[in-house]
Structures are given as C-alpha cells and as structure tokens.
C-alpha cells in the first residue's frame, strides 16, 4: 500500500507530534523504582505510580539525567533531604518529554524539588510513629530508668567508623578516670542493609542483656544521605521495646529519624554520646563524694558532742561519788541502828524463853519433888519404878529431901 509507513517513519511522526504538543517543561510526582548510573556519569531512572489502595502499578516511564545535571542534582538532593537518591523514594522532578525513534518514550530530568521528598519522608515517619503509638510501644524505651552507673556499654556501630573510635577514645580518657567497659556489636550503618544489620546486633545484645547497662547506636563519618535506613518501622519497634535504655548518636543535624524519636536518649554525635555517659557517672561520683563529706562531718559533730558530754560527766563524777558515798554511809548507819534494835529484841525474847525453860527444868528436878515429901528408891543407882522387878536380897537406897536410908529386900 502506498500509504503505509515504516516503523521509523511512524516513530519520527510520534516524536515530532510530541515535540509540538508537549514542548514545555513539566513538574511531575512519581516514585523511583530503579536508579542506575554508568561510567559516562549519566543516570537512568524508572518512574512509577501506584494505586494507593491496591498498590498496583498504574503508570510507568523511563527517565534519564544527563551527567552535567546529575553531578549537581544528586549531592544537592542528598544533602538537603538526608536521603540517598535511590529507588523507593518519591520525588518531584521537572522533566521534558522525549521520544526517540530507537529508544522510545522517556522523560529527561532537569531539576528536582527536595522539599517534596522531605514531606513524603516526614509523612512516612509520622505514619510509623502513629502506628507505634497505637500499638502502645512508642515511649516504652524512654520510660526505662537510666542505670545509676552506666559503665557496661553495648555498642552498635561499624568497626571502622571514625565515630566509634572517637566514642571509645572519649570514654577511655575521661577527666574523672572512670572505668567504662565497651563491647562492639558490628553492624552496617549505611546502605540498604542498615535495618537488617542493626536488628541482628540488637538480637545478639538481647541474648546477653544482663551483661550490659545501656545500648549505644553510633555512626560517624558517613554521608548524611545514608540515614534512610534508620527510618523503618521494624527497627523503630525493636528499639522502642528493647529492655535496656538505647542512646542514639548517628551524627546529623536535620530532623529526627524515627529511631531518634523512640530511643531513650538522642544526641547528635558519637562523642556527645560518650560525654552523656561520662556526665552521668561524674554526677553520681560527685553525689557520693558529697554524701561522704556529709557523713564525715556528721561523725565529727557526733564525736564532738559525745566528747563534751563525757567532759560534763567527768566533772560531775566526784560530786556524784561523794553523794553516793554519803547516801551509802547514811544507809549503813540507819541499817546499823535498826540491826541493833532487832538484835536487842531478839535477845530479850530468847532470854525470856530460857528463863521459862529454866523454870520448867527446876520444877521437874528430883530435889524439888523430894522437898515436897516425895522419896525415890534406887537400886544399883537406878530408880525403881516397879516393885515386881525386885527380888530377895536386893539392896536398896531410899532418898529423902534430907538424907537417905538403906534396906534389903526380904
């Protein structure tokens, strides 16, 4: 057919038509699903749009940034947002519509508005924080009490990070000479594996929780654009619910990350994290020194008070002893008088008793009976009380009050 077009001719017609219909520059909102750069310095992109309800793709377009623009646009975006220019972020970019006969439809990026991405990042942070609040875990770590002496420190950082070295140096050379034990749990602090790596480190610390007082997550020397890994729900939830206080010092000046918002304490730099711990221990040491001084002063005051009391007692002892001796002497005298009277009364009673006994003895005396006209007959010096006990020939002696008579039994 004479009216037929070759593919090249059709594509050329499409290109001319687009150039005529869409000659301007346009600001578009889209999500980056792919970001690649090559040795020439050009950056190749893929823009997508998803349905907010089903998350299904509803639009897609290729894009590119020429090297002379990319080398300016990338650092500007990352410095402003603290977010790497990478897949998965939402952007607002100024583009022109291009159509190439061989490569087809594409968008050429001329400029970018970082504030749009910042807004989207802030929205995502707000959503994460709201979810944590609804789950009741947002402030759990903040509510933990900081240990009195936080000297056993689990550190999550990159072993080669300058910030980790600064942190350890600051602790080791603290002005008070306090001892701090630190153990590193290595983790990647930049790139796409931040979340997974830090979560694994937290799991290892949790398995040895009783060996540490606090957890310090520090980062230093990395690009500001590598902070997006700290804005994830899983990492925030793990830190919010961690059983030890978590101190964050990942070195940035911009708005807080989600991790900053849920941690027990946020500081700007690793050095500031070390200073916080040193200050805490110094405060307790000062408090102990103050208490020690107060105890010493109290002991001195008590000893002085007791010394004055002893001196007072010492001056009172002679008078007290004299009074006690006087009282004792008086008591002895009184007791002596009472004893004398008691003794006299007792002697009088015993004397009267003896007189009565003497009278009774005298009344019972044989001489007394004989004087009354009685007599007593003796045989062999013994009184005879029964006549039948006598036999013929017994010699008897009969005594009278005056004299005696001898007889023989016939």
């Amino acid at each position: 057919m004479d009216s037929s077009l070759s593919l090249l001719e059709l594509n050329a017609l499409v290109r001319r038509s687009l150039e005529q219909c869409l000659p301007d520059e346009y600001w578009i909102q889209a999500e980056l699903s792919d970001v690649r750069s090559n040795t020439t310095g050009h950056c190749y992109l893929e823009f997508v749009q998803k349905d907010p309800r089903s998350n299904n793709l509803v639009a897609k377009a290729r894009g590119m940034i020429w090297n002379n623009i990319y080398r300016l646009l990338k650092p500007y975006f990352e410095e402003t947002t603290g977010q790497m220019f990478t897949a998965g972020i939402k952007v607002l970019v100024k583009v022109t519509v291009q159509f190439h006969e061989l490569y087809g439809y594409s968008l050429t990026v001329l400029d970018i508005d970082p504030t749009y991405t910042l807004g989207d990042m802030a929205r995502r942070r707000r959503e994460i924080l709201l979810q944590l609040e609804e789950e009741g875990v947002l402030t759990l770590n903040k509510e933990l009490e900081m240990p009195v002496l936080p000297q056993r420190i689990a550190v999550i950082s990159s072993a080669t990070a300058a910030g980790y070295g600064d942190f350890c140096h600051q602790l080791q050379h603290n002005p008070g000479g306090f001892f701090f034990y630190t153990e590193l749990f290595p983790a990647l602090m930049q790139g796409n594996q931040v979340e997974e790596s830090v979560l694994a480190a937290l799991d290892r610390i949790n398995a040895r929780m009783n060996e540490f007082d606090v957890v310090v997550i520090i980062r230093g020397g990395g690009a500001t654009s590598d902070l997006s890994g700290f804005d994830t729900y899983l990492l925030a939830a793990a830190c919010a619910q961690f059983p030890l206080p978590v101190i964050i010092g990942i070195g940035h000046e911009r708005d807080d990350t989600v991790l900053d918002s849920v941690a027990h304490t946020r500081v700007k730099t690793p050095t500031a994290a070390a200073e916080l711990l040193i200050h805490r221990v110094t405060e307790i040491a000062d408090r102990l020194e103050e208490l020690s001084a107060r105890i010493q002063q109290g002991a001195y005051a008590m000893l002085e008070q007791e010394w004055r009391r002893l001196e007072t007692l010492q001056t009172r002892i002679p008078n007290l002893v004299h009074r006690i001796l006087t009282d004792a002497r008086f008591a002895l005298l009184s007791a002596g008088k009472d004893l004398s009277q008691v003794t006299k009364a007792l002697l009088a009673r015993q004397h009267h008793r003896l007189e009565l006994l003497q009278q009774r003895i005298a009344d019972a005396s044989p001489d007394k009976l004989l004087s009354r006209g009685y007599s007593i007959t003796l045989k062999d010096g013994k009184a005879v009380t029964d006549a039948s006990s006598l036999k013929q020939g017994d010699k008897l002696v009969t005594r009278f009050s005056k004299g005696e008579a001898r007889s023989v039994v016939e």
Side-chain angles (χ1 to χ4, degrees), residues 325-365:
L325 291 175
T326 301
D327 292 344
R329 189 178 296 113
F330 179 76
L332 287 173
L333 289 174
S334 299
K337 291 178 181 180
D338 294 341
L339 182 62
S340 177
Q341 292 175 357
V342 171
T343 303
K344 287 179 179 180
L346 180 61
L347 289 175
R349 287 197 300 272
Q350 295 299 323
H351 187 267
H352 178 67
R353 181 169 174 274
L354 288 174
E355 287 179 344
L356 292 175
L357 291 173
Q358 186 177 8
Q359 184 64 40
R360 289 174 63 185
I361 291 172
D363 290 342
S365 172

Side-chain angles (χ1 to χ4, degrees), residues 22 39 62 96 126 204 224 243 258 267 269 278 286 299 320 407:
L22 301 172
T39 55
R62 291 189 301 108
T96 59
R126 287 195 301 269
R204 293 196 300 274
T224 307
V258 174
V267 293
T269 63
I278 294 169
D286 291 344
L320 185 62
S407 60

Side-chain angles (χ1 to χ4, degrees), residues 21 31 57 94 111 122 130 148 156 171 184 210 248 288 335 393:
C21 296
E31 180 180 330
L57 289 179
K94 181 190 286 188
D111 199 0
L130 180 61
V148 175
I156 298 178
L171 289 181
L184 176 66
N210 294 332
I248 300 293
L288 289 174

